[in-house]
């Protein structure tokens, strides 16, 4: 692995803690089974090479070509920790730190742009798509150029040495935890806390990056409780009052919906997908019939396999809602379904659901008001969405579907991380009013 650091700053080497007059500007340090070699090219340029000898970063023991040691994000993280941990301290500590040999603080010298190049970085995740890496959407100073296959050239342009190195560590961290093998790496409490500090060292980190960090790099509730106040305080300083949850958006929805359901009433799941609600309700002890509806026939086989594994006979699968002719009372789930239709078809689907003998219908859909926290563009959250509604537009849709029905009560709610009172998912619960309670 090679790292090239350049800056017009006359004190670049001082900020890096590298003395060009020691050992001809050469520096060596062991890392795992290899050697890190640092070299002063000029007062404005420093290079690092990691040479491995015993396959320190191989993802599999059977690999004969140790390409990972020369491109692994984890190797990059370790190099930054070994050589530049003083730059990855919290921002105030870094700025106040005195360079004793100069008699001035680091903050007073770190006033010039810094460019870092990693010629080969291994990225194997869905974060690079259609010629763009997800992080470059949020940080203009990051450039990813695909060299060949999953090897990329990473270029970082920071306003200072401090910013450039913290961006470098951020890219290395998130590439590591989202790469194919990153999910299987152990992340302890100190690791989780250290890198949330790196995040807060960078200016204008958007909420979505914190969300991705919490969901991919934080591995336990204990770790989340450790980093949660740090993230919330950072967002508050940037004008966002946040109340973050441990669960991801999808899990938050599932917990919300299953918390509304009882195990003695049949369930009609419209747009059941991979039957995540069926599995959760079976874990709660569901004995009643579960009617699952989805246009994709492949989910029928999945459902059958799940039912066999659970030794259950209460699952009925349909590819068309019209084929489900049950007359028994049901609780209906329509989770993240309506936005996959045209707005007119979504209304028709809700009206069709209301023709069943329902006790309760729970509808969830993305909250378009929350999308400002995902970026500055107008793109939908998923390519197959036909629409995403604001809270007001969602209310109007539901009201139009009920069309004055007096036997139903409507409750609206929100689900997930709360930012300035907004949450990513909005929900509507339509409850049938018993006849003797109707006025």
């Amino acid at each position: 692995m090679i790292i090239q650091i350049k800056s017009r700053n006359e004190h670049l080497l001082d900020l890096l803690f590298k003395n060009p007059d020691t050992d001809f500007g050469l520096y060596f340090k062991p890392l795992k089974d290899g050697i890190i070699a640092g070299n002063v090219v000029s007062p404005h340029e420093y290079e690092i090479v990691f040479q491995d000898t015993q396959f320190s970063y191989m993802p599999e023991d059977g690999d004969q070509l140790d390409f990972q040691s020369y491109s692994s994000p984890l190797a990059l993280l370790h190099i930054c920790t070994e050589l530049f941990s003083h730059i990855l301290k919290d921002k105030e500590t870094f700025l106040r730190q005195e360079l004793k040999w100069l008699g001035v603080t680091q903050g007073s010298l770190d006033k010039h742009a810094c460019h870092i190049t990693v010629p080969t970085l291994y990225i194997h995740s869905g974060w690079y798509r259609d010629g763009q890496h997800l992080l470059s959407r949020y940080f203009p100073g990051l450039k990813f150029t695909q060299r060949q296959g999953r090897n990329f050239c990473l270029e970082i342009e920071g306003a200072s040495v401090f910013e450039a190195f913290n961006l470098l560590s951020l890219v290395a961290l998130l590439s590591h935890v989202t790469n194919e093998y990153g999910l299987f790496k152990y992340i302890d409490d100190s690791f989780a806390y250290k890198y949330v500090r790196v995040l807060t060292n960078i200016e204008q980190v958007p909420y979505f990056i914190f969300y991705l960090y919490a969901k991919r790099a934080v591995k336990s509730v204990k770790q989340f409780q450790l980093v949660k106040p740090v993230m919330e305080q950072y967002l508050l300083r940037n004008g966002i009052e946040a109340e973050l949850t441990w669960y991801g958006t999808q899990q938050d929805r599932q917990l919300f919906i299953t918390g509304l359901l009882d195990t003695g009433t049949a369930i009609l799941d419209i747009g059941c997908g991979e039957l995540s609600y069926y599995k959760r309700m079976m874990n709660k002890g569901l004995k009643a019939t579960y009617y699952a509806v989805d246009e994709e026939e492949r989910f029928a086989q999945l459902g059958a396999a799940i039912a066999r594994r659970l030794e259950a006979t209460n699952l009925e699968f349909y590819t068309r809602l019209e084929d489900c002719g049950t007359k028994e009372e049901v609780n209906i789930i329509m989770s993240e379904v309506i936005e996959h239709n045209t707005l007119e078809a979504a209304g028709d689907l809700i009206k069709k659901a209301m023709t069943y003998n329902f006790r309760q219908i729970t509808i969830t859909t993305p909250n378009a008001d929350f999308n400002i926290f995902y970026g500055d563009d107008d793109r939908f959250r998923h390519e197959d969405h036909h629409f995403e509604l604001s809270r007001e537009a969602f209310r109007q849709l539901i009201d139009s579907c009920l069309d004055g029905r007096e036997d139903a009560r409507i409750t609206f709610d929100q689900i997930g991380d709360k930012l300035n009172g907004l949450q990513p998912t909005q929900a509507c619960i339509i409850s049938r009013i018993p006849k003797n309670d109707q006025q």
Side-chain angles (χ1 to χ4, degrees):
M1 171 169 280
I2 299 172
I3 307 171
Q4 299 166 320
I5 306 157
K6 298 179 182 179
S7 176
R8 295 178 60 186
N9 194 328
E10 296 291 339
H11 294 283
L12 172 64
L13 299 179
D14 294 300
L15 291 167
L16 298 181
F17 285 13
K18 303 305 173 204
N19 188 343
D21 297 323
T22 301
D23 297 328
F24 304 103
L26 294 173
Y27 180 85
F28 298 94
K29 188 167 187 176
L31 175 61
K32 287 187 174 286
D33 294 312
I35 294 291
I36 304 170
N39 177 47
V40 173
V41 178
S42 75
H44 299 283
E45 184 174 354
Y46 192 75
E47 286 187 345
I48 301 145
V49 175
F50 173 57
Q51 178 67 50
D52 200 15
T53 58
Q54 295 293 325
F55 312 117
S56 299
Y57 293 94
M58 285 180 66
E60 295 178 354
D61 294 338
D63 254 338
Q64 297 302 309
L65 179 62
D66 183 23
F67 65 94
Q68 286 279 25
S69 291
Y70 301 102
S71 58
S72 167
L74 185 59
L76 185 56
L77 275 176
H78 289 164
I79 291 169
C80 289
T81 298
E82 291 292 336
L83 300 189
F84 306 112
S85 60
H86 65 287
I87 303 177
L88 301 178
K89 296 184 182 297
D90 68 272
K91 189 171 186 178
E92 289 303 314
T93 299
F94 173 82
L95 294 176
R96 291 197 308 266
Q97 179 66 43
E98 182 183 9
L99 298 177
K100 297 184 185 296
W101 58 93
L102 296 177
V104 295
T105 62
Q106 293 177 145
S108 66
L109 296 182
D110 195 13
K111 301 291 187 181
H112 294 78
C114 178
H115 187 90
I116 300 178
T117 301
V118 181
T120 307
L121 182 65
Y122 181 77
I123 298 176
H124 184 193
S125 78
W127 285 24
Y128 184 83
R129 186 181 303 168
D130 300 327
Q132 185 183 35
H133 195 283
L134 177 66
L135 290 177
S136 59
R137 281 183 55 193
Y138 298 99
F139 302 104
L142 300 180
K143 180 181 179 182
F144 297 82
T145 304
Q146 190 168 18
R147 293 167 58 89
Q148 186 175 7
R150 300 182 182 117
N151 289 318
F152 292 77
C153 174
L154 167 66
E155 295 180 79
I156 297 174
E157 187 70 35
S160 62
V161 169
F162 180 80
E163 180 180 277
F165 270 92
N166 279 274
L167 281 171
L168 177 65
S169 291
L170 172 65
V171 172
L173 168 70
L174 293 180
S175 297
H176 169 56
V177 297
T178 59
N179 273 356
E180 180 182 359
Y181 289 92
L183 292 173
F184 305 98
K185 301 298 182 183
Y186 177 69
I187 294 176
D188 60 18
D189 295 351
S190 62
F191 184 101
Y193 188 77
K194 171 184 176 180
Y195 285 100
V196 78
R197 185 185 70 233
V198 168
L199 270 173
T200 58
N201 281 341
I202 302 168
E203 298 292 338
Q204 301 300 317
V205 175
Y207 150 78
F208 192 52
I209 298 300
F210 284 109
Y211 173 84
L212 293 173
Y213 173 78
K215 300 310 172 265
R216 300 308 296 266
V218 179
K219 298 300 184 183
S220 68
V221 176
K222 177 185 175 184
Q223 286 183 8
F224 179 74
Q225 294 300 330
L226 191 66
V227 303
K228 179 178 186 285
V230 179
M231 296 188 291
E232 291 179 344
Q233 289 166 16
Y234 179 94
L235 291 169
L236 186 61
R237 291 196 299 271
N238 286 274
I240 300 175
E241 184 175 352
E243 185 177 335
L244 305 179
T245 71
W246 156 243
Y247 298 103
T249 303
Q250 183 179 18
Q251 286 180 290
D252 280 329
R253 283 196 302 268
Q254 292 174 358
L255 289 169
F256 177 87
I257 292 174
T258 54
L260 298 173
L261 302 175
D262 65 273
T263 58
T265 305
I267 295 172
L268 171 56
D269 187 352
I270 301 174
C272 65
E274 297 182 351
L275 293 120
S276 56
Y277 288 100
Y278 176 63
K279 289 182 282 188
R280 284 183 175 272
M281 289 306 297
M282 290 299 290
N283 288 335
K284 288 181 65 174
L286 179 71
K287 299 299 182 183
T289 304
Y290 196 99
Y291 301 98
V293 181
D294 201 288
E295 293 179 350
E296 295 195 41
E297 294 185 4
R298 63 187 178 92
F299 292 131
Q301 296 179 347
L302 174 63
I306 294 172
R308 284 196 301 271
R309 188 172 70 247
L310 298 175
E311 298 181 349
T313 59
N314 63 343
L315 178 66
E316 294 187 18
F317 186 92
Y318 302 92
T319 56
R320 294 183 346 123
L321 181 58
E322 291 78 8
D323 294 338
C324 181
T326 179
K327 301 298 182 182
E328 69 175 315
E329 187 179 50
V330 292
N331 285 320
I332 300 177
I333 302 171
M334 298 177 66
S335 180
E336 308 303 286
V337 172
I338 62 172
E339 64 273 10
H340 295 276
N341 302 269
T342 65
L343 194 57
E344 180 180 1
D348 291 341
L349 186 61
I350 295 171
K351 293 174 185 176
K352 175 64 177 176
M354 294 184 67
T355 64
Y356 284 86
N357 179 22
F358 71 91
R359 175 182 292 183
Q360 178 179 281
I361 303 174
T362 303
I363 305 169
T364 69
T365 190
N367 179 3
D369 294 331
F370 190 87
N371 287 354
I372 59 173
F373 299 112
Y374 289 133
D376 296 327
D377 54 47
D378 297 323
R379 288 186 290 185
F380 291 151
R381 296 186 199 174
H382 296 284
E383 294 177 355
D384 57 353
H385 287 185
H386 288 261
F387 62 83
E388 291 179 0
L389 300 177
S390 66
R391 288 176 297 168
E392 180 58 31
F394 184 47
R395 287 174 181 270
Q396 291 175 3
L397 173 64
I398 298 299
D399 287 341
S400 69
C401 292
L402 265 67
D403 194 25
R405 282 184 60 156
E406 297 182 354
D407 64 340
R409 179 187 300 113
I410 310 172
T411 304
F412 290 95
D413 211 332
Q414 296 185 81
I415 306 166
D417 289 342
K418 183 181 292 185
L419 305 181
N420 290 343
L422 297 173
Q423 294 171 265
T425 301
Q426 54 185 330
C428 171
I429 300 99
I430 304 173
S431 305
R432 187 186 291 273
I433 303 172
K435 288 184 178 180
N436 57 354
D437 291 340
Q438 297 177 28
Q439 298 181 350

